[in-house]
Amino acid sequence: MALLLYRLGRFSARRAWLVIAAWAVIIGMVGGAAALFMGPMSNNFQIPGTETQQMADKLQADLPEASGGTGSVVFTSTDGQPFTPAQQTEISQVLASVTSVPSVKNVIDPFLTQESLAQAKAKLADGAQQLAAGEAQLAQGKATLDATSAQLAAAQTQLDAAQAQLDAQAAQIAGLPAGSPQAAAASAQLAAGQAQLDAQKATLAPGQAQLADGEAKYAASVKELAAKKVELTTGQRSAEAATGIKFVADNGKAAIGQIQFSESMNAVTPANRQLVQDKLNTLDSSGVTVNYSKEILEDVSSLFGIAEVLGIAVAAAVLIIMLGTLIAAGLPLLMAVVGVGIGVGGTMALTGVIEMSSISPMLALMLGLAVGIDYSLFIVNRHRQQLLAGMEMRESIAKATGTSGNAVTFAGLTVVIALAALSVTGLPFLAVLGLAAAATVAVAVLIALTLTPAILSLMGRKVISKRAWAKSVVAHSKHDAETAGLSVPERAAADQSKEVRASAKGWGGLVTKHPVISLVTAVVALAVIAIPAAGLRLALPDGGSEPVDSSAFKAYTITGDNFGEGMNGPIIVVGSLPAGLDQAGATALNLDVADQLRKVPNVKAAVPVTVSKDLRTAVYQVIPAEGPASASTVQVVHDLRAEGTAIKTDLNVGVGLTGQTAANVDVSAKLGAALPPYLAIVVGLSLILLILVFRSILVPVLATAGFLLSLVAAFGGVVAVYQWGWLGGIFDVANPGAVLSFLPIILIGVLFGLAMDYQVFIASGMREAYVHGQDAKQAVRTGFKHAAPVVTAAAIIMTSVFSGFIFSHLTMVRPLGFALAFGVLIDAFVVRMTIIPAAMHLLGKSAWWIPKWLDKILPDVDVEGAKLEAPAPDAASHGTLGKQDATIH
């Protein structure tokens, strides 16, 4: 590998303009592709196959009018007083005008909605009064009907008794002799009595008919009153279900409007988002302040902000101090910018065909800048030292590429593999993120190996300042004077002795003089820093994590203060109703489901929203007690799903959850589950690669253990700052909350790669000194002395670049920037430059032990570039300088 890279470096130096032209063409092609094919980015973290995605697909199919994204608009009066009627009217008019914006489906006017709710409430109260009056009137009518019925029954009884008497008389008359005067007189009397009785019966019939009509009307009234009672009860239950939902604050000083889009929020273009804001911002002149939820404001089209520029400025300052010339310092920066331009440009070009989260190009930008600067710096630094030692320029470029470039290739490979391994998590957005960043790092490696040598060839001696040249001449003269008259072996021995004395000084010497104290102190310190990591809680960001002065944060805060925090993160429940229901039955069943949903702890309201035309799919909105990222809301999501089993058993309704709040919980849970296997893959990978490179068992174990220490310490710092709020004023953390869900898994991949970078540059120098005959303990000091300056500069540069993202305009990136900056700082200075040298000094020769059978089967990757170490013509005259050149810096 070293020989191949040597030839690549020599070719790039000799054909500099050809290499530069090739990269210029690539830049032009990537830039053109980005301009032509770039599409909108999103923050869609859905995972196919989850319940939230299944329910979202069901809604799209069964209730398309209920699908699509929703954003909130929070109105407040500028003077802090309740809205005036004129302001309410203007808000309603402006909200109505928003429906003219493309992709806006509908708006919910807070004042019209609240008025409708008030009217419905008044109507329910009036209905209750009417129902009570109707029941009283019905009771009175029932008493009258009962009295009339009793009178008619008494009259009928009298008539029946009279008829019985007449019938008895008729029987007596039948016993008299026919034709007798007595019989004739009795018959006449009987006929008169019967006629009178029949007349009385005739007068009773209309009363009976009137009673029957009254009873029929009463029955109809009872039925009508029962229907009104059911309707009133349904209305009362609906009102009770919606009690926890308000659109206008009780004090009249704040109101929430909602905008429903015809497509998902991820598909709403920045132009349409801005059109919505432009229309609503006209209310400023009416004394109304408008703030928007995170969903409406979220524009991820901008990648670079002031904070990122400041981070690069610090990196530039470090380069200038280290390299001593603007030209030399500018080269690593230029290489990083070119690499980032190609890597991020290619990523942006793919956004038209691949759904990509906003953090994907941001991570690629962050890593591309950091590793791009460092990788180029390693080669430039090696080249400068070789030039100062007297090596011919192009030979120096080729050799720097074959030695430091070899280490750069391996270091870059570890980062690329760690990032690409994010694909095994089964999370599509994370796979895209990892591959985008891995591709950018790969480009940075290629640029360091080709474009850096080409430009170094054109720069010539200007890569070193005149002062550095003069200092080198003086040092060479002094060295020649001190070693004058000595033989070559004696000169080598003198140089060796001088190098040993020098290596005992500085930080490396201090650590190796007191290895036990250094090791124990560093490990204990990292363990203490890692303590907060035990309380790590994962979630996706909400409006409460936005900057304090942002509109999204204000909207989130105003909503929480006036309507309850749960209004910032409603949970959507989708119900599958049984077949055969009519409208009334579906309504009653939906209310039964809502009643059961409200039994879940920390549920403030649960209200049926709509039902499909076939009455088979229903939507319910659940308002939790706290915000979407709070621990209680996460528990509410789990409890609602658990309650679904009881709802299915009791009501024969299957329920599932969807919406952003439930989706965030699912994503966080999935990411948490993916963390252990991914960590195992990365740790296993680190052991295999380091065994291959260092041909040792204990060195890889130490390197991996150090990485784990760095990792948990970085987690501890993130939890302390972003979850507990420590130093929140410094890091602009106004509303501490759960840690970004995918931060841990990204941090593992990135920090592993970067930690292995420093491990390679530190330990390879130690191994080279040991292989060249130095005592194992002394080799630790020698290797540390050679590598420490460039590793220190590289770590400061990388930390500076990452630190710039701590105050990024994209708040989602901030904790990630902090985690990477803090992790790199700890890993470079505490683990690689304290724990590793202390532990290896204690281990001595056993640090390089490897089973013979394993040593035989391992391929020789020659990461130190030993095959290129042919003696230079003036090596003997330069002694120590030549020997130092053989070490990777």
Side-chain angles (χ1 to χ4, degrees):
M1 176 65 79
L3 187 59
L4 177 64
L5 293 176
Y6 172 87
R7 291 170 178 170
L8 178 63
R10 185 172 59 183
F11 171 84
S12 299
R14 290 179 176 177
R15 300 286 187 272
W17 286 112
L18 176 62
V19 173
I20 292 171
W23 281 110
V25 170
I26 293 174
I27 292 172
M29 293 174 63
V30 170
L36 292 173
F37 306 115
M38 184 172 64
M41 289 178 290
S42 73
N43 278 329
N44 178 20
F45 303 115
Q46 289 280 17
I47 303 175
T50 59
E51 179 183 291
T52 51
Q53 189 60 51
Q54 292 170 354
M55 291 300 102
D57 294 341
K58 178 178 175 63
L59 273 185
Q60 182 64 41
D62 299 348
L63 263 170
E65 62 273 15
S67 62
T70 301
S72 299
V73 185
V74 180
F75 305 97
T76 52
S77 56
T78 305
D79 58 5
Q81 298 299 314
F83 294 111
T84 65
Q87 287 175 327
Q88 294 182 15
T89 300
E90 190 156 359
I91 289 173
S92 298
Q93 291 173 347
V94 173
L95 261 178
S97 71
V98 173
T99 55
S100 63
V101 175
S103 75
V104 172
K105 183 192 299 184
N106 190 24
V107 297
I108 296 179
D109 184 323
F111 300 107
L112 293 180
T113 303
Q114 202 68 36
E115 184 180 353
S116 298
L117 290 174
Q119 290 177 351
K121 189 174 181 180
K123 187 177 180 181
L124 285 173
D126 184 56
Q129 291 180 353
Q130 292 180 5
L131 184 65
E135 288 177 336
Q137 186 177 359
L138 203 61
Q140 184 178 359
K142 182 68 166 62
T144 302
L145 285 174
D146 290 343
T148 303
S149 178
Q151 291 176 357
L152 290 174
Q156 184 67 49
T157 300
Q158 292 177 355
L159 290 175
D160 290 342
Q163 183 66 54
Q165 291 178 354
L166 290 176
D167 292 341
Q169 292 177 5
Q172 291 177 356
I173 292 173
L176 295 175
S180 67
Q182 290 179 339
S187 297
Q189 184 180 1
L190 181 63
Q194 187 64 55
Q196 183 180 1
L197 184 60
D198 289 342
Q200 290 176 352
K201 286 182 178 181
T203 59
L204 185 62
Q208 291 175 330
Q210 187 176 2
L211 177 63
D213 183 58
E215 288 176 339
K217 288 181 178 179
Y218 173 79
S221 297
V222 168
K223 186 176 181 180
E224 181 181 358
L225 202 63
K228 288 183 177 181
K229 190 171 184 178
V230 170
E231 182 181 353
L232 180 65
T233 301
T234 301
Q236 289 173 333
R237 291 182 67 192
S238 299
E240 182 183 355
T243 300
I245 300 178
K246 294 181 294 184
F247 293 93
V248 178
D250 294 334
N251 58 17
K253 299 178 182 180
I256 298 178
Q258 291 187 334
I259 300 175
Q260 186 179 6
F261 295 86
S262 56
E263 51 198 352
S264 69
M265 292 306 302
N266 304 312
V268 179
T269 64
N272 286 341
R273 294 174 193 264
Q274 190 58 51
L275 277 176
V276 169
Q277 296 171 51
D278 291 342
K279 286 184 176 294
L280 292 170
N281 285 342
T282 58
L283 289 166
D284 291 345
S285 60
S286 304
V288 176
T289 301
V290 186
N291 287 295
Y292 305 92
S293 68
K294 185 172 178 284
E295 292 79 13
I296 294 177
L297 283 175
E298 197 163 48
D299 178 9
V300 293
S301 58
S302 174
L303 295 181
F304 228 67
I306 296 176
E308 290 88 339
V309 175
L310 291 176
I312 296 176
V314 174
V318 174
L319 286 171
I320 293 172
I321 293 172
M322 180 183 180
L323 301 178
T325 168
L326 287 173
I327 295 177
L331 178 57
L333 285 173
L334 177 62
M335 297 301 95
V337 170
V338 172
V340 163
I342 295 173
V344 176
T347 301
M348 299 298 290
L350 293 174
T351 56
V353 293
I354 299 175
E355 184 175 345
M356 193 174 297
S357 65
S358 63
I359 202 170
S360 296
M362 284 299 295
L363 182 63
L365 173 67
M366 196 186 304
L367 283 177
L369 284 173
V371 302
I373 293 173
D374 279 3
Y375 292 168
S376 181
L377 172 63
F378 292 140
I379 294 175
V380 170
N381 184 67
R382 178 63 181 257
H383 171 58
R384 280 165 49 89
Q385 296 208 6
Q386 291 172 167
L387 285 180
L388 290 172
M391 191 176 292
E392 189 271 330
M393 184 186 67
R394 286 184 176 172
E395 174 65 16
S396 175
I397 294 173
K399 196 169 183 181
T401 307
T403 52
S404 291
N406 198 11
V408 163
T409 301
F410 173 78
L413 182 63
T414 62
V415 180
V416 168
I417 293 175
L419 290 169
L422 290 171
S423 303
V424 306
T425 60
L427 311 175
F429 75 88
L430 201 57
V432 171
L433 182 149
L435 292 174
T440 304
V441 172
V443 170
V445 172
L446 291 175
I447 286 177
L449 297 176
T450 56
L451 189 57
T452 298
I455 296 182
L456 282 175
S457 177
L458 297 180
M459 291 174 66
R461 291 169 58 93
K462 292 180 181 179
V463 74
I464 301 175
S465 67
K466 293 180 180 179
R467 179 181 298 179
W469 278 115
K471 188 176 180 180
S472 175
V473 171
V474 172
H476 281 218
S477 299
K478 183 178 179 181
H479 175 267
D480 292 341
E482 290 175 348
T483 58
L486 297 178
S487 65
V488 172
E490 290 174 338
R491 180 176 293 187
D495 290 342
Q496 179 73 23
S497 177
K498 183 178 180 180
E499 185 176 31
V500 169
R501 290 194 303 270
S503 67
K505 299 177 182 178
W507 182 253
L510 178 64
V511 168
T512 51
K513 283 179 184 176
H514 309 284
V516 175
I517 295 175
S518 300
L519 181 63
V520 172
T521 302
V523 171
V524 170
L526 292 184
V528 171
I529 295 173
I531 289 174
L536 178 67
R537 188 167 58 83
L538 303 178
L540 288 176
D542 55 29
S545 61
E546 295 294 306
V548 177
D549 57 350
S550 68
S551 182
F553 181 84
K554 292 175 183 176
Y556 184 93
T557 304
I558 294 169
T559 300
D561 291 344
N562 291 275
F563 304 95
E565 292 182 9
M567 283 292 286
N568 284 303
I571 301 169
I572 306 302
V573 179
V574 181
S576 298
L577 306 182
L581 294 174
D582 57 14
Q583 187 65 52
T587 301
L589 185 57
N590 284 336
L591 287 169
D592 290 338
V593 172
D595 288 344
Q596 209 147 331
L597 292 174
R598 279 198 303 280
K599 294 178 182 178
V600 172
N602 289 315
V603 168
K604 187 177 179 182
V607 57
V609 177
T610 187
V611 65
S612 60
K613 293 179 180 179
D614 63 359
L615 304 178
R616 296 301 306 276
T617 302
V619 178
Y620 315 88
Q621 188 177 63
V622 175
I623 306 297
E626 297 186 16
S630 68
S632 69
T633 299
V634 173
Q635 189 59 46
V636 165
V637 170
H638 296 315
D639 290 346
L640 285 172
R641 285 175 171 155
E643 187 67 22
T645 303
I647 293 175
K648 180 65 176 177
T649 301
D650 298 342
L651 304 174
N652 194 27
V653 176
V655 298
L657 273 57
T658 188
Q660 196 61 47
T661 300
N664 290 355
V665 173
D666 282 350
V667 171
S668 299
K670 189 82 172 180
L671 285 166
L675 201 56
Y678 179 71
L679 181 60
I681 291 173
V682 170
V683 169
L685 179 66
S686 71
L687 288 171
I688 293 171
L689 289 177
L690 291 176
I691 289 173
L692 180 66
V693 171
F694 295 115
R695 310 185 82 80
S696 163
I697 299 298
L698 293 180
V699 171
V701 170
L702 278 176
T704 304
F707 159 67
L708 295 175
L709 276 174
S710 301
L711 183 66
V712 294
F715 283 157
V718 170
V719 171
V721 173
Y722 290 92
Q723 188 172 316
W724 293 358
W726 293 5
L727 303 178
I730 296 176
F731 294 102
D732 194 20
V733 183
N735 191 21
V739 174
L740 185 67
S741 294
F742 44 84
L743 182 148
I745 204 165
I746 293 176
L747 182 61
I748 288 172
V750 175
L751 190 58
F752 160 70
L754 301 182
M756 295 309 104
D757 282 4
Y758 300 136
Q759 180 70 22
V760 168
F761 284 100
I762 287 283
S764 59
M766 298 175 183
R767 175 173 173 76
E768 183 176 0
Y770 175 70
V771 170
H772 287 178
Q774 285 192 2
D775 173 76
K777 293 182 181 292
Q778 177 56 42
V780 172
R781 290 180 174 179
T782 301
F784 183 91
K785 178 180 177 295
H786 291 159
V790 71
V791 170
T792 298
I796 293 174
I797 289 169
M798 197 166 285
T799 301
S800 301
V801 173
F802 289 148
S803 295
F805 291 86
I806 294 175
F807 302 97
S808 172
H809 60 295
L810 294 178
T811 54
M812 189 185 302
V813 177
R814 293 183 177 188
L816 185 57
F818 175 87
L820 290 174
F822 190 56
V824 166
L825 199 65
I826 287 175
D827 191 84
F829 294 105
V830 181
V831 174
R832 307 303 152 190
M833 299 179 71
T834 302
I835 292 177
I836 294 298
M840 291 186 67
H841 191 272
L842 289 172
L843 289 171
K845 187 177 180 179
S846 60
W848 303 107
W849 174 83
I850 186 171
K852 291 183 179 180
W853 64 267
L854 182 59
D855 188 46
K856 290 181 180 179
I857 64 175
L858 287 178
D860 184 8
V861 298
D862 189 23
V863 73
E864 301 92 351
K867 294 179 181 179
L868 302 177
E869 293 301 321
D874 56 351
S877 64
H878 289 153
T880 301
L881 292 173
K883 190 170 187 64
Q884 286 179 351
D885 293 338
T887 305
I888 292 179
H889 298 289

